[in-house]
């Protein structure tokens, strides 16, 4: 069985839904289809929760009404069969009635997540009705029956595997399954989610749980590109990436893939393919165990980085200094992205200032601390980068004019990371496109 995940824009218009129905029956392999909410829906639901939180009932109900109108038009176009259209209308009534009721009860964290779950619940039910209209035999599987988080709010892959395989055992004659991305239950059994953009993660977790032949992520671009197409003029799709390279790229800013979604596929060695719904025959990008080629493959940038420069107030050669520093970050559950050290100083970067004040206060017991905000990490990612001809020379020659504030090289064989004030990002990406990719 394979997994095919379609993002918001791939299901966002009735004609796109028709198109993905064709894609899922294109070959005869059994398939688990994972869908996001229609594009714009989750943003609208977030907005509704914000308005409810601000006691803006009027604002929330306007937003709900606008969304309902959108869905009503959507089913008018999608479903011509009168009885299926009537059932779609019932589905919408049920979900929008729920959204209306939320205005009358007090907002809690649990209710918040229930609201956010409505998008995927609706998109999959509507798609299922469309498949019925197209006489495509399938089963709609509620993700809330098998997608689980553990006590640490991380997906519980073993439990997901057990539950999902239990569910699938009831459907021995079906070949097409449809389920929701993003939504799950937490360890308390409440409705929860895998965070924004989490449908990719769902797809990868399901692929690992059922040991799928491939996990296909369908979007509206032809794979992962070597550079950010919004920033530089010319970019090319990357043919093949290793799991490690893809994880670094996704983490360091490539928007096409959710960073967490690599590990489940990697763990079960399931190839992930990034494909384009608008151009289904294009090869896209395949992510698998082998990197394919040696050398630099892509560059990505991550904004809103904070640099924390920590200088020991004690003396040279103090041992245990690094441990003490890391313990502070660990205590405040703040992951470190980049790190560079000298004899008496350590610089690290973090991407959240949630506990920054506490971290600085504790570090001040052993060090002097300086903080710089509005930084960007530019990461050059590839396979065996050190083996690439004159890589450092080419890289630094090409970005000679950029005031780089930190460099991290050698931490892994597939990454060189540079830190700079964010205003230099665009220029840096453009210069690297010329200097390293000849584009
Ligand atoms: N609908 C959710 C979101 O927009 C999940 C996803 O699309 O992956 O964040
Ligand atoms: Mg989405």
């Amino acid at each position: 069985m394979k997994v095919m995940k379609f993002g918001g824009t791939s299901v966002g218009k009735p004609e796109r839904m028709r198109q993905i129905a064709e894609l899922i029956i294109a070959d005869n392999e059994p398939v688990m289809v994972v869908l996001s909410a229609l594009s714009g829906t989750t943003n609208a639901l977030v907005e509704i929760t914000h308005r409810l939180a601000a006691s803006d009932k009027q604002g929330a109900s306007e937003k709900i009404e606008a969304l309902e109108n959108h869905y009503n038009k959507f089913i008018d176009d999608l479903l011509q069969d009168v009885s299926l259209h009537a059932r779609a209308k019932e589905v919408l009534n049920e979900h929008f009635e729920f959204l209306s009721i939320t205005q009358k009860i007090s907002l809690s964290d649990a209710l918040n997540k229930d609201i956010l779950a409505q998008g995927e619940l609706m998109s999959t039910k509507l798609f299922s009705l469309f498949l019925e209209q197209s006489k495509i035999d399938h089963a709609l599987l509620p993700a809330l029956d098998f997608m689980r988080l553990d006590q640490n709010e991380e997906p519980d892959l073993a439990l997901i595997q057990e539950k999902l395989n239990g569910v699938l055992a009831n459907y021995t004659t079906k070949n097409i399954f449809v389920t929701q991305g993003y939504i799950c239950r937490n360890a308390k059994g409440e409705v929860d989610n895998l965070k924004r953009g989490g449908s990719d993660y769902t797809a990868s977790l399901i692929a690992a749980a059922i040991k799928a032949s491939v996990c296909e992520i369908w979007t509206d671009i032809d794979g992962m590109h070597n550079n950010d197409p919004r920033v530089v003029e010319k970019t090319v799709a990357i043919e093949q990436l290793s799991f490690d390279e893809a994880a670094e790229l996704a983490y360091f800013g490539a928007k096409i893939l959710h960073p967490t979604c690599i590990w489940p596929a990697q763990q079960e060695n399931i190839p992930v393919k990034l494909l384009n719904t608008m151009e289904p025959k294009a090869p896209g990008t395949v992510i698998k165990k082998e990197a394919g080629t040696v050398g630099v493959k892509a560059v990505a940038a991550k904004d809103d980085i904070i640099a924390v420069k920590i200088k020991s107030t004690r003396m040279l050669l103090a041992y245990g200094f690094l441990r003490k520093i890391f313990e502070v970050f660990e205590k405040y559950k703040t992951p470190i992205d980049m790190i560079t050290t000298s004899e008496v100083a350590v610089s690290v970067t973090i991407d959240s200032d949630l506990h920054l004040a506490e971290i600085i206060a504790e570090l001040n017991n052993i060090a002097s601390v300086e903080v710089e905000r509005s930084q960007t990490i530019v990461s050059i990612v590839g396979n065996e980068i050190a083996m690439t001809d004159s890589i450092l020379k080419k890289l630094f020659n090409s970005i000679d004019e950029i005031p780089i504030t930190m460099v991290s090289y050698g931490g892994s064989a597939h990454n060189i990371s540079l830190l700079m004030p964010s205003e230099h990002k665009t220029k840096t990406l453009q210069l690297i496109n010329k200097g390293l990719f000849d584009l």
Side-chain angles (χ1 to χ4, degrees):
M1 181 161 353
K2 66 175 176 176
V3 173
M4 295 175 92
K5 178 258 166 178
F6 296 92
T9 47
S10 303
V11 289
K13 296 215 170 86
E15 64 266 27
R16 308 292 301 273
M17 261 199 188
R18 288 185 197 109
Q19 196 188 350
I20 66 174
E22 276 167 31
L23 287 173
I24 66 175
I25 53 168
D27 56 27
N28 287 325
E29 185 171 3
V31 55
M32 175 74 74
V33 179
V34 177
L35 299 186
S36 289
L38 309 196
S39 50
T41 299
T42 311
N43 284 345
L45 294 170
V46 169
E47 184 61 37
I48 289 165
T49 63
H50 287 167
R51 292 186 184 185
L52 288 175
S55 302
D56 176 9
K57 295 212 160 112
Q58 173 73 20
S61 75
E62 278 167 17
K63 201 81 202 165
I64 294 169
E65 208 185 301
L67 198 61
E68 187 167 11
N69 288 337
H70 177 71
Y71 275 81
N72 278 323
K73 287 202 196 92
F74 191 91
I75 62 165
D76 288 350
D77 188 342
L78 185 72
L79 298 162
Q80 281 69 49
D81 181 293
V82 179
S83 84
L84 290 169
H85 185 279
R87 278 170 57 201
K89 188 71 193 132
E90 269 168 44
V91 166
L92 296 186
N93 286 346
E94 177 201 328
H95 288 279
F96 282 99
E97 204 164 301
F98 167 76
L99 287 175
S100 303
I101 290 170
T102 62
Q103 297 168 78
K104 304 195 180 82
I105 43 187
S106 57
L107 193 66
S108 62
D109 193 36
L111 181 60
N112 219 326
K113 286 170 171 166
D114 265 319
I115 293 174
L116 297 182
Q118 302 305 307
E120 273 70 11
L121 291 170
M122 288 196 285
S123 67
T124 47
K125 287 182 190 174
L126 297 182
F127 185 61
S128 170
L129 290 170
F130 176 70
L131 291 181
E132 217 176 305
Q133 177 176 273
S134 312
K135 310 258 181 309
I136 298 173
D137 188 32
H138 68 283
L140 178 59
L141 306 181
L144 297 179
D145 288 352
F146 55 85
M147 291 303 294
R148 287 301 159 111
L149 300 180
D150 63 17
Q151 305 282 358
N152 301 318
E153 295 173 28
E154 295 294 336
D156 188 336
L157 185 52
L159 191 58
I160 292 171
Q161 181 165 25
E162 183 192 312
K163 287 192 174 288
L164 177 53
N165 288 318
V167 170
L168 287 173
N170 299 323
Y171 296 96
T172 46
T173 59
K174 299 273 183 209
N175 276 326
I176 295 175
F177 299 93
V178 178
T179 194
Q180 298 86 22
Y182 179 60
I183 64 173
C184 59
R185 284 188 191 279
N186 59 27
K188 286 185 273 179
E190 299 160 344
V191 173
D192 210 317
N193 60 62
L194 299 175
K195 314 238 164 67
R196 293 306 307 274
S199 297
D200 292 349
Y201 202 7
T202 304
S204 176
L205 288 161
I206 289 180
I210 62 173
K211 308 220 186 311
S213 60
V214 57
C215 177
E216 297 181 351
I217 309 282
W218 290 81
T219 64
D220 51 2
I221 16 173
D222 55 342
M224 183 101 82
H225 277 229
N226 74 303
N227 203 332
D228 189 337
R230 292 163 306 179
V231 176
V232 301
E233 258 173 35
K234 203 158 179 263
T235 63
V236 289
I238 308 164
E239 226 171 276
Q240 185 174 332
L241 288 166
S242 68
F243 289 119
D244 291 332
E245 290 171 325
E248 303 228 21
L249 272 179
Y251 185 71
F252 286 113
K255 293 282 175 298
I256 180 172
L257 196 63
H258 198 268
T260 46
C261 100
I262 300 295
W263 75 261
Q266 181 167 24
Q267 186 169 309
E268 297 299 330
N269 198 15
I270 295 160
V272 176
K273 279 191 184 168
L274 308 179
L275 297 161
N276 186 356
T277 4
M278 307 298 275
E279 226 186 302
K281 294 263 179 300
T285 300
V286 59
I287 300 164
K288 46 160 77 170
K289 198 164 160 204
E290 303 79 22
T293 51
V294 165
V296 172
K297 290 191 185 154
V299 56
K302 191 174 178 200
D303 294 324
D304 298 321
I305 300 293
I306 303 160
V308 185
K309 302 179 173 182
I310 307 150
K311 198 163 166 218
S312 169
T313 41
R314 289 272 312 282
M315 61 210 158
L316 282 177
L317 300 172
Y319 54 82
F321 184 53
L322 284 178
R323 180 178 54 75
K324 286 185 197 137
I325 291 173
F326 288 148
E327 271 172 3
V328 174
F329 287 91
E330 185 185 345
K331 180 169 166 195
Y332 293 101
K333 296 197 167 129
T334 301
I336 292 171
D337 285 333
M338 264 177 93
I339 166 161
T340 57
T341 63
S342 74
E343 185 56 48
V344 292
V346 182
S347 292
V348 302
T349 69
I350 56 179
D351 64 4
S352 156
D353 64 1
L354 196 60
H355 297 293
L356 186 58
E358 293 112 302
I359 290 172
I360 294 173
E362 290 210 20
L363 288 174
N364 272 332
N365 295 329
I366 50 167
S368 65
V369 181
E370 265 176 57
V371 170
E372 275 185 69
R373 291 174 178 270
S374 306
Q375 304 286 303
T376 290
I377 295 177
V378 168
S379 279
I380 294 96
V381 173
N383 177 34
E384 304 287 356
I385 286 193
M387 314 280 279
T388 316
D389 243 8
S390 324
I391 175 68
L392 292 180
K393 191 167 135 197
K394 274 192 201 155
L395 174 62
F396 289 109
N397 276 347
S398 66
I399 55 169
D400 194 31
E401 64 194 81
I402 307 293
I404 305 290
T405 48
M406 263 173 89
V407 177
S408 173
Y409 176 55
S412 86
H414 8 258
N415 182 310
I416 305 174
S417 290
L418 312 169
L419 189 74
M420 67 201 64
S422 297
E423 68 254 35
H424 298 287
K425 171 179 93 168
T426 301
K427 188 82 204 164
T428 305
L429 292 179
Q430 288 164 349
L431 291 171
I432 288 177
N433 218 40
K434 276 205 200 85
L436 293 188
F437 298 107
D438 270 328
L439 289 171

